[in-house]
Amino acid sequence: MFSKILIANRGEIAVRIIKTCRRMGIATVQVYSEADVGSLAVEMADEAVLIGPAPAAQSYLLADRIVEAVRQTGAEAVHPGFGFLSENAGFARRLRDEGIAFIGPNPEAIEAMGDKISSKKLAAEAGVSTVPGHMGLIETTAEAVKIANQIGYPIMIKASAGGGGKGIRVAHSDADMAEGFAAVKAEAQNAFGDDRVFLEKFIVDPRHIEIQVLGDKHGNVVHLFERECSIQRRNQKVIEEAPSPLLDEATRAAMGAQAVALAKAVNYDSAGTVEFVAGQDKSFFFLEMNTRLQVEHPVTELITGVDLVEQMIRSAWGEKLAFAQKDLAINGWAIESRVYAEDPYRGFLPSIGRLVRYDTAEEGDQGSYTVRNDSGVREGDEISMFYDPMIAKLCAWGETRDAAIDGMARALEDTHLQGVGHNVPFLAAVMDQPRFRSGQISTSYIKDEFPDGFHGLAPDRRQTDILIAAAAAMNEILTELSGDPSGRTDWIVLIGQEAHGVTLSYDDDEALTLELAGEDRALRLSDIDWRPGLAQFRAELDGEPFTAEVARVADGFVIRHRAAKARVRVLTPAIAALYARLPEKQAADTSKLITSPMPGLVVAIPVAVGQEVKTGETVAIIEAMKMQNILKAERDGVVKAVSAKAADPVAADDVLVEFE
C-alpha cells in the first residue's frame, strides 16, 4: 500500500481524504495556495507545500506545481478530490508517465467520458439511453439558434468541459439562446479553459438521478445504487439523498446495469458517477459521466457502509474489489445538505467573509438518526471569493426516509453560523415542506416552491409556540439577573404585531409553564439551556427537543427556528398597548437603482448615461466565484448615472446603474 499520498485539492474534500488516509496508516501531503495558509486541511496533513497565489489558475490548476510538490515530498500518489485537475486527462497521463500513481481512473477513461460530446456518443454505442440533442461543436450564435429550432425548445446549453453547475443555461426562445450561448462560452472559457458548447433537449419536470460506480484494474465494476440530486439552484446541487424516492427495484436495476456497461466500455477503474435525467414516469436518459469522486458521495457511503475514498486508493494500488454486486445492499436512507456561504434571501448569491461563529451539530448516533458533517473550515476561517463557497456537507442517516428528514431538520437546527450569509434557513425550509417529504420533487423544485425568491416561511403552530416560549424564558432569565423585584408573571409576547398573552409559573421539576390567554392550553418548557450571550437557545417544549437561533436586540429578541424568523418582544400589557399604536416604518424606495447583489468583479456595464432601457434588457454583468451573473432592468427607464466600469471590484449593494 502507498506510504504517502499528496492531496491536490483544498477545503472539505481534502479534510475528508486525510481522514481516510489516517485510518489506513498513510501519510499525507497537503498542497495549498496563499489563501489557504493555516486552513484545517493544512493543519491536519502530515506535510504541507505552498504552490502559489490564491487564484486557482495560479495554484491548484498548475500541474507543474503539483508534480514539483510530489518530488519534493516523496509522495507516491496524488488524490485530486473533485474540481481543479480531477478530470484532467493530461494531468493523469503526466503522472503516469512520471511514475506517480493517480488516485482516479486511467487517463483514457477520463478522456472518453470527460468530454460531454464524445461521452454521449460512447454511451449510445454502449446501449445507454441518451437525450436528443446536437453533439457536434457549435461555433456561432446563429448556428446555435438554428440547431435549437431543429431540436425544439426548451434547450439546455452546456459547456463540453463543464461541471459543478458552471457553464449551463436553459433557453426557451431564440433570444434566450442568443444570450445564453455567449454567456456559457464565456463561463466555460473562464472556468475550464475550453469554450466548446453543445445543445440537448431539456426534459420538462425532470429529476436528476445518478449511479455510483466503482471499478478496479482487473476489469471488475459494480454500482453502489443511486443518489437523487433534484433539489438544485442555478444547476448546482443543494440537497441530495440516497436512495431515490422515485425508483422501484426494476428501474434501479436497469439504471445500474447501464451505468456498469458504460464504465466497462471505457475500462473504468476507480470511483465514478453516471448521471441520468429521469422523467416522473421513471424514464431515464444519460447526461454525463463524472470521472471522479462526487461531492455527494457521503450519502452513498452512509447507506452502503463502503468508504469510497478508501476504495479509490486500493484500486489505484492495484487491488481487486473486495466485493461483488451481490454483496451490496441498501441500508436505510441518507440525506446531504450542502451548507453554502450564500444568501438565500438575496437569490442565493455568494457571500464572502470570516466565519465569526460556527457551531455544528454533534456527529454520530443521535438515537433515531445519525449525523455526519464533512467540513473544511472552522470558526474564524475566511470564506474566500476565489473558490466554491461551500462551508460543509451536513448528512443525516435514518432507518427510513422520514427518519432521515427529521434527523436532518434537527441537525440544521443545531448548526449556527455568523459572519457570512448562509443557506441553513432554506435547507431547513425544504425539510419542513410537505412536497419534499412526499418525494414528488424535480429539478425545478426551488423555482416552483419559491417563485418570488426565498423569504423564509411563516411559523406553524409549533414554531409559534417555540417563539413564545423561548422569548418568555429568556426574558425571565434576564429579569432575574437584573434583580427586578416585581415578580411579574403576566406578559404579552408580540411576534411582529401579533399579541399573545401568557401567564408564567414553575412546576416541581423547575420547568416553565406558560398558560396561553384565551386558548385553554399551556406550554411546558423544560431542560432550558441558555444564558445571556449564547446564540442558541436549547430546550424541550412539551417533551420534544428543539434549538432556536436567538439574538438580543434593543427591545426584545430576533428568534429563528428553522425557516421561521421573527422579531419577538416580551412586554407588560400597558406597554404592549402602546406598541400597537406605533406606525410601521416604510422601506426606502430603491426601484430606480441597479445594485450589485454580491461582492465580485464587473464584467461589463452595457448601458450609458441617457440611454433608454427596456424591461428585461441586460444592464450589468458581475462575476463572482467563477459564475457570471446577468442583471436586467426590471422596468423601462432612462439611465441617469453609471457608477462602475468593466474590471472594477464591487461590494454587495454597491450601486451600478441609476435610472431617472
Side-chain angles (χ1 to χ4, degrees):
M1 181 49 66
F2 302 115
S3 59
K4 185 184 291 187
I5 290 172
L6 182 141
I7 301 165
N9 215 295
R10 61 175 303 281
E12 63 86 13
I13 188 55
V15 170
R16 163 73 187 88
I17 295 166
I18 290 170
K19 288 179 179 178
T20 287
C21 287
R22 280 182 175 180
R23 185 172 55 78
M24 296 178 71
I26 301 170
T28 53
V29 179
Q30 178 63 52
V31 297
Y32 65 97
S33 75
E34 291 173 357
D36 288 330
V37 174
S39 67
L40 180 58
V42 168
E43 179 184 289
M44 289 179 63
D46 297 293
E47 299 174 64
V49 179
L50 177 66
I51 56 171
Q58 300 174 43
S59 51
Y60 294 106
L61 287 170
L62 292 179
D64 288 345
R65 300 281 177 86
I66 305 298
V67 172
E68 182 182 334
V70 171
R71 298 301 184 205
Q72 177 184 329
T73 60
E76 303 157 283
V78 172
H79 197 307
F82 42 67
F84 298 138
L85 294 171
S86 63
E87 295 182 280
N88 187 308
F91 177 63
R93 186 171 285 111
R94 177 174 176 182
L95 292 180
R96 184 173 66 184
D97 292 346
E98 298 204 22
I100 304 165
F102 179 72
I103 302 177
N106 62 80
E108 290 74 27
I110 297 175
E111 210 158 49
M113 290 290 101
D115 184 288
K116 304 299 185 293
I117 296 173
S118 64
S119 68
K120 288 182 182 298
K121 295 178 179 176
L122 281 167
E125 292 170 3
V128 180
S129 304
T130 57
V131 181
H134 184 86
M135 296 299 105
L137 293 179
I138 304 168
E139 300 292 344
T140 67
T141 300
E143 185 182 357
V145 169
K146 180 180 179 182
I147 293 169
N149 279 282
Q150 293 171 350
I151 299 172
Y153 290 107
I155 296 289
M156 183 82 83
I157 313 166
K158 299 183 72 172
S160 180
K166 299 176 179 68
I168 300 176
R169 291 284 193 284
V170 177
H172 296 272
S173 66
D174 289 353
D176 286 351
M177 178 59 68
E179 181 176 80
F181 184 76
V184 169
K185 284 182 75 72
E187 281 184 7
Q189 182 62 43
N190 182 49
F192 315 110
D194 182 346
D195 71 349
R196 292 177 300 157
V197 170
F198 69 96
L199 307 180
E200 66 184 18
K201 182 75 173 176
F202 180 69
I203 306 300
V204 177
D205 201 27
R207 298 173 75 130
H208 186 125
I209 298 176
E210 58 192 32
I211 301 289
Q212 176 72 58
V213 295
L214 187 63
D216 61 23
K217 297 185 183 299
H218 305 276
N220 302 303
V221 180
V222 297
H223 71 81
L224 286 82
F225 313 107
E226 81 278 2
R227 297 183 288 257
E228 171 113 22
C229 311
S230 296
I231 309 297
Q232 305 179 2
R233 49 102 183 100
R234 295 199 301 271
N235 300 297
Q236 176 73 57
K237 301 164 189 172
V238 180
I239 296 171
E240 301 99 344
E241 60 183 301
S244 164
L246 175 71
L247 300 193
D248 52 31
E249 286 300 329
T251 309
R252 176 176 294 119
M255 292 180 79
Q258 288 196 14
V260 168
L262 180 59
K264 286 186 173 181
V266 294
N267 298 313
Y268 203 82
D269 54 356
S270 187
T273 299
V274 181
E275 300 198 350
F276 294 91
V277 58
Q280 299 293 341
D281 61 355
K282 299 183 179 65
S283 61
F284 58 90
F285 306 94
F286 173 75
L287 274 178
E288 61 188 16
M289 183 174 188
N290 288 304
T291 55
R292 54 170 169 79
L293 193 66
Q294 288 282 86
V295 174
E296 58 273 18
H297 75 275
V299 291
T300 294
E301 294 182 330
L302 285 168
I303 65 164
T304 61
V306 175
D307 184 325
L308 290 169
V309 173
E310 176 184 345
Q311 295 304 318
M312 293 178 75
I313 293 170
R314 293 191 180 283
S315 176
W317 179 249
E319 292 185 11
K320 288 185 177 181
L321 286 177
F323 42 80
Q325 191 67 56
K326 64 181 176 59
D327 302 316
L328 296 167
I330 295 172
N331 175 34
W333 212 286
I335 296 177
E336 174 181 292
S337 291
R338 300 192 189 190
V339 179
Y340 281 114
E342 63 182 13
D343 191 344
Y345 300 97
R346 296 167 59 92
F348 299 95
L349 294 171
S351 176
I352 61 175
R354 191 167 298 281
L355 270 176
V356 178
R357 294 289 296 270
Y358 182 26
D359 298 317
T360 63
E362 183 179 348
E363 292 193 82
D365 185 0
Q366 304 302 313
S368 60
Y369 63 98
T370 300
V371 173
R372 169 175 168 175
N373 191 50
D374 286 18
S375 183
V377 294
R378 302 150 297 183
E379 192 167 279
D381 284 349
E382 188 86 13
I383 304 299
S384 169
M385 70 176 288
F386 295 102
Y387 313 115
D388 186 272
M390 182 182 286
I391 295 171
K393 299 183 312 196
L394 182 61
C395 302
W397 176 92
E399 292 186 357
T400 64
R401 187 170 187 265
D402 282 345
I405 293 173
D406 290 341
M408 175 59 70
R410 284 290 295 124
L412 288 165
E413 283 186 34
D414 290 333
T415 301
H416 173 65
L417 300 127
Q418 284 184 347
V420 296
H422 61 85
N423 66 337
V424 170
F426 168 77
L427 298 168
V430 175
M431 295 302 121
D432 282 344
Q433 287 192 300
R435 179 181 168 190
F436 179 75
R437 285 182 170 267
S438 75
Q440 297 299 312
I441 57 179
S442 72
T443 56
S444 63
Y445 181 93
I446 294 177
K447 183 176 66 175
D448 294 343
E449 296 298 311
F450 306 98
D452 300 319
F454 178 74
H455 307 291
L457 297 180
D460 60 21
R461 178 167 172 167
R462 174 171 168 76
Q463 288 176 317
T464 298
D465 289 347
I466 286 172
L467 297 177
I468 293 170
M474 289 187 289
N475 185 68
E476 280 286 284
I477 292 169
L478 293 169
T479 299
E480 286 184 22
L481 290 174
S482 69
D484 184 349
S486 68
R488 175 178 288 277
T489 60
D490 59 315
W491 299 93
I492 301 296
V493 179
L494 281 184
I495 302 177
Q497 297 298 313
E498 185 179 320
H500 302 267
V502 299
T503 301
L504 309 180
S505 61
Y506 291 91
D507 64 19
D508 294 339
D509 296 322
E510 295 300 310
L512 181 64
T513 299
L514 303 91
E515 293 185 21
L516 303 179
E519 295 193 36
D520 193 29
R521 66 188 183 100
L523 307 175
R524 186 176 188 273
L525 194 68
S526 59
D527 297 327
I528 298 169
D529 179 10
W530 183 81
R531 64 180 184 275
L534 288 184
Q536 288 181 300
F537 181 99
R538 291 184 171 90
E540 289 191 6
L541 182 64
D542 295 333
E544 291 189 32
F546 72 90
T547 305
E549 188 173 278
V550 298
R552 291 179 65 186
V553 291
D555 58 349
F557 310 94
V558 174
I559 305 175
R560 179 181 65 80
H561 180 259
R562 301 189 183 178
K565 183 177 181 180
R567 178 78 166 265
V568 187
R569 300 172 175 91
V570 183
L571 309 168
T572 66
I575 294 177
L578 295 175
Y579 264 92
R581 295 173 165 181
L582 293 176
E584 290 191 36
K585 186 178 179 180
Q586 298 298 313
D589 180 14
T590 59
S591 61
K592 295 182 179 181
L593 304 177
I594 299 293
T595 59
S596 177
M598 77 209 81
L601 293 175
V602 177
V603 175
I605 306 283
V607 295
V609 174
Q611 180 178 335
E612 290 188 9
V613 176
K614 298 295 184 182
T615 301
E617 286 188 28
T618 298
V619 294
I621 303 174
I622 305 296
E623 182 179 293
M625 295 178 177
K626 302 180 185 177
M627 295 287 285
Q628 288 195 359
N629 298 272
I630 299 172
L631 308 182
K632 299 184 178 184
E634 295 182 0
R635 62 181 182 83
D636 295 353
V638 177
V639 177
K640 179 181 179 181
V642 176
S643 306
K645 62 183 185 301
D648 280 355
V650 291
D653 297 323
D654 277 0
V655 176
L656 305 174
V657 177
E658 181 178 357
F659 291 101
E660 293 180 354

